[in-house]
Each structure stands twice: as structure tokens, then as C-alpha cells.
Amino acid sequence: MASDDDVRRQLVELSERITSLEAEVQNLRAAQPYGHAAEAATPTPPLRVPEKKRREAASLESRIGAQLLNRIGILAVLIGVAWFLKLAFDRNWIGPPVRVWIGLGAAAALAVWSERFRRQGFPAFSFSLKALGTSIAYLSLWAASSVFHLGPSWLIFLAMTAVTIANAVLARRQNSELLGLYALAGGLATPGLLSVGHSNEIFLFSYLALLNAGALFLMASHQWKRVAWAALLGTAAYSIGWSVIEDDPSHLPLVVFFLALVFALFAVAPFLLLRGARALPPNSFLIAFPIANAGATWVALMVLFGARGQHAGRPWVTIALAGGCFLMAAARRRPAVLSSTNVGLAIFFVTVAVPLEFNGTTVTLCWLGESLALVALARAGADAALRFFATAVLTVAGLSLLVDWIAGTTQPLAVLTNMHFATNLVGAAVFAIVTSLSVGGGPGRSFGSWTYMAGFSTVAFSLTVLVAVSLEIHHYWFCGAGFFRDFCGGYGQLERRTIAAGWGYSAWCMVYGAVLMAAGFLRRSAFLRWQALVVLAFSIAKVFLNGVSQQSQGYRVLSFLALGVLLLAISFAYQRNWLGLRG
């Protein structure tokens, strides 16, 4: 049994525990004075608005309060000041010099005030204030020159140039493309605002050249492509507009020089962009900008020479422009897309220069020679872009032949003096050579592929030969047959000519179809055989239709016998299955 001392010690410990428990209960009651500690529930959390909606609400409120109201307030102040100034001007409270100084002072105040907003983190609002101040400055200087005549034009021009330079410097220091565009817009507006009604091409184009050089410097240092586009469009507007208005031939050499200088400046813009870019710019700029630059320069040159009656110079300046594009294409360390674009422009201008210098069949001959040279170069260099351009020029040459067939006039029968027939022979030879160069060039059937070029050239060769000989048959019976030449008005002679010419067309189609079918069998070419079948189908239709209507028994017998023998021979070749077509 436990001793009395042990029992006494356990009682003391139990009493101490009870005391400590009572103290804890008292502490809990102090924390919950109403005694609801056990029943106390967790407080209900407040209603939460989704974070996205709260941001949208805050953003809308911020835009209305901080931006919209601010701008409306500025607009209201400006309108109030404008009405006050108008009232002062109408009542002659303020003289012209003071009016100009008020405008310049307001412009300077807006520029200084805009810096405060920029430092506070509102760059867009700051730039809009700078744009407003710049506009007020330009308008004030314009009024000083054109309305109030307060100073010489050269002094006002220097003041406007200073405003433009200040904007450009701010744009560069603050890395703002928007300010750069404002500066460029003001610079382009300066010559128009200070126009005095007489031409001064040296001043205008020198100023434009300097302005474009500055714009290209901003583009190269900050990758501002929109600045380059704005400079190009503004310069093109001035160049074309000046060429339309002025008609003094003595200004022609100087203006051509400045147009060449501006073209060269914008031609190097893609290279400047590539030099300062960390990554390759998008192909859209490298393609569209050179095209726009060359196109604007060419249009200005065509208007310039047309307005002064100097049409003879148009093809030569076009060739010179093509040479400039070739130089850009040959530049080193250029991306392939930029080189291909300049090559395409050069080929385009060479192609366009031909009808500017020549006419008639000479144009077709030149285009045929150009297409053949391009195909040979593409074959030698395996250049896909050059092959595409060669296909385009070859297509243009084929269309030119088609126009000659439709709109050509009657020619003498002698081959050496019959330019239409000689042109067709040259075209057939070119198409044959292109077919030989294109066969086996590579896979693919899209426009510009070797397969497409081979097929196009083969069909063009067949059509050229067929049409050329058919036209000569027509010329012989209706315009050249020596015995019938004196009887063109006789009905009987005309009827016999028509029958003879119809039989000649049918015979020629049958002969050519047979030759084409033989070539298809020998070369094992289904493409040639299908062409032969098409030609023979035309021959069949013509023989049967003319055989019913014609009155000459001899021609009818010859037509049906020749066609029948030919079709039986071709049918026998297919039935022998020499090429294994049944498999």
C-alpha cells in the first residue's frame, strides 16, 4: 500500500492541476465574455468580386477619370482660349506679330508641359500634347509667312526646319516612333505650307533628300519601318505632283538626277534595316518596300517625260531603273528574298521598256528573246525565283503572239518580208528550245516549275505552228493566190477559194496531228499523244462538218479518205500496244 506521504503528494499535484485548469477557463471566458466559445462560428467571408471584372472596372474607371476627363478638360481650355483669341483678333486687341508669338509661346508651353506627364508615366498623353504643340507652331509660322508676311520665306523655312529637328531629336532620345512620325509629317508639310506659286526644284528636292536621309537614320537606329513608309509616300506625292504641274523642259536633267538620288536613298533602306536588326525583318517589308520605291520612281519619271513631250526618253530611263535594281540585287550579304525582289523588278522594267521603244511584231520578238535568255540563265543557275520570272515573261510573249494572230494585218506571202509569219517561226523555235531546256528539270507542277514550263512551251509550240501555217493558207487563197488575185469580188471564185482553204486547214491539221502522234510514240510521251488526239478530234469535226455542206465532190473524197487512213493507222498502233498502254 502507498504510504501517507505518497497519498499527500498526489493530492497536492491534483490540486495544482485543478488550479491551472481553472485559470485556463477564466482566460477563455475573458476572450469570450458572453460564454459562447463552443458555439462561436467562423465569421462569414466578405463577398469577393472576380479579379478580372475588378480589373476591368478599375481600368474603365481609370480611363474615364484619368484620361477622358483630362483630355476633355484640355480641349475645353483650348476652345476657350481659341474663342478668346478670335474675339481679340476680330476687335484688333492683338496685332499680327503678337498673335504669332502667342502661337509659338503656346506651342512651347505645351511641349514643356508634356514632359511633366511623360515623367509621371503617361507617355501617350505626353506625345499627343507634343503633337498639338508642333501643329500650333507650324500653323503660327505659316501664318507669319503667308497671311501676315512678317518675314522672309527663308527665315520662316529655317524656323520650321528647327521645329522638325527638335521633334526628331526628342523622338530619338525618348525612343518614340510616334514622335518620329510627327516630326516627319511636319517636315513634309513645310514645303507645301511655304509654296509661293513658282517652281524651285533645287530647293524642294534638296530638302526632301535631307529629310529622307534623317528619316532613314531614325529607321536604322530604332527599327522604325513606319517612318520609312511615311517618308517614301510623302516624297512620291511631291515628286509626282511636281512632275504633273511643271512643264519646263530645262528642269528635266536636274529633276531626273534628284529622282535617282531619292530612289538610291530608299533602295538602301532595307539594307540599313537589316544591319541594325537583331533578327531578320519580316519578308513583307523586304518585298513591298523595294516594289513601292521602284514603282513610285518609275511613275514619276513617266509623268515627267510625258508632261514635257519627251516620250523618247521613257524607255531609256526605264532601262536605267532596271540597272539600279540589278545593282541592288547584286549587293553582298543580302537575304535571298530581297535579292529576288530586286531581280524581279529589274526584269519587269526591262520587259516594260520594250513596248515603250518598239511596236508591232518587234515587241513580240524582243520578249521571246528575253524569255529564252532568262530560261537559259535559270537553267544554268538553278534559281527558283529567276525560273518564276522567266515563266512570266514567256507567258507574256505567248500572249503577244496571240494578239498578233488576232489583230495582225494581211502580209505578203514571201517569208522574208512576211513579219507575222517570221515572228511565228521565231516563236516556235523559242518554244522548242525552252521545251528542250525544261524537260527533266525537276519535280513540281506549279507556276514557275520546270514541268509547268515544259508543258506550256510544248502546247505553245503546237498552237504557234498550227496557227502560223493556217494563217498562211488563208492568206494564200484569199489574198495572195496569183491567178485568183484579180477575181476577189467574184462570187464563184470566192466560193471555190473557201472550199479550197477549208480543205487546206483540214489537211494541215491531219498532217500535224500525225506528226505529233508519231513523236509521242517515239518519245513515249503521253503528253504529246494527248495533244495529237486533240488536234485529230478537231480535224474529224472539221472534215465531217465541211463534208456535208461543201459541193465539191473531189475535196470531200480526199478529206474522208485521208482522215480514214490516218485514223486506221493510229488505231492499229494502239491495238498493237507497242507502249504497253493497256497495263
Side-chain angles (χ1 to χ4, degrees), residues 225 228-229 232-233 263 266-267 269-270 273 281-297 337-342 345 349:
K225 294 186 288 293
W229 276 113
L232 174 60
L233 295 177
F263 168 76
F266 286 118
L273 186 67
N283 290 342
S284 57
F285 181 83
L286 299 180
I287 295 175
F289 194 82
I291 292 176
N293 177 31
T297 305
V337 62
L338 183 58
S339 176
S340 300
T341 301
N342 283 298
L345 286 170
F349 288 125

Side-chain angles (χ1 to χ4, degrees), residues 7 90 245 285 366 369 386 393 412 428 453 492 538:
V7 173
D90 292 342
I245 295 174
F285 181 83
C366 291
L386 191 58
V393 177
M453 194 181 300
F538 176 78

Side-chain angles (χ1 to χ4, degrees), residues 273-463:
L273 186 67
L274 290 169
R275 183 177 181 182
R278 297 179 181 178
L280 188 66
N283 290 342
S284 57
F285 181 83
L286 299 180
I287 295 175
F289 194 82
I291 292 176
N293 177 31
T297 305
W298 184 70
V299 170
L301 288 171
M302 294 300 102
V303 174
L304 182 68
F305 281 85
R308 288 155 181 76
Q310 305 289 331
H311 297 279
R314 284 181 169 183
W316 303 110
V317 295
T318 304
I319 291 294
L321 193 59
C325 294
F326 269 127
L327 290 178
M328 293 299 107
R332 296 182 179 180
R333 301 178 59 183
R334 76 286 185 195
V337 62
L338 183 58
S339 176
S340 300
T341 301
N342 283 298
V343 168
L345 286 170
I347 293 173
F348 171 78
F349 288 125
V350 170
T351 306
V352 169
V354 171
L356 292 176
E357 176 66 17
F358 305 107
N359 52 37
T361 56
T362 308
V363 175
T364 304
L365 292 173
C366 291
W367 282 343
L368 287 169
E370 180 187 0
S371 62
L372 182 58
L374 292 175
V375 171
L377 290 174
R379 185 65 174 178
D383 189 344
L386 191 58
R387 188 170 65 247
F388 179 88
F389 299 136
T391 307
V393 177
L394 188 67
T395 304
V396 171
L399 293 175
S400 181
L401 271 178
L402 177 63
V403 172
D404 288 342
W405 297 339
I406 297 174
T409 57
T410 301
Q411 298 287 328
L413 283 175
V415 175
L416 295 178
T417 57
N418 187 344
M419 286 304 300
H420 284 287
F421 186 66
T423 302
N424 288 328
L425 292 180
V426 173
V430 168
F431 292 135
I433 297 173
V434 171
T435 302
S436 177
L437 293 174
S438 303
V439 171
R445 296 185 179 180
S446 60
F447 185 88
S449 64
W450 289 116
T451 304
Y452 177 91
M453 194 181 300
F456 176 84
S457 302
T458 304
V459 175
F461 173 83
S462 298
L463 285 176

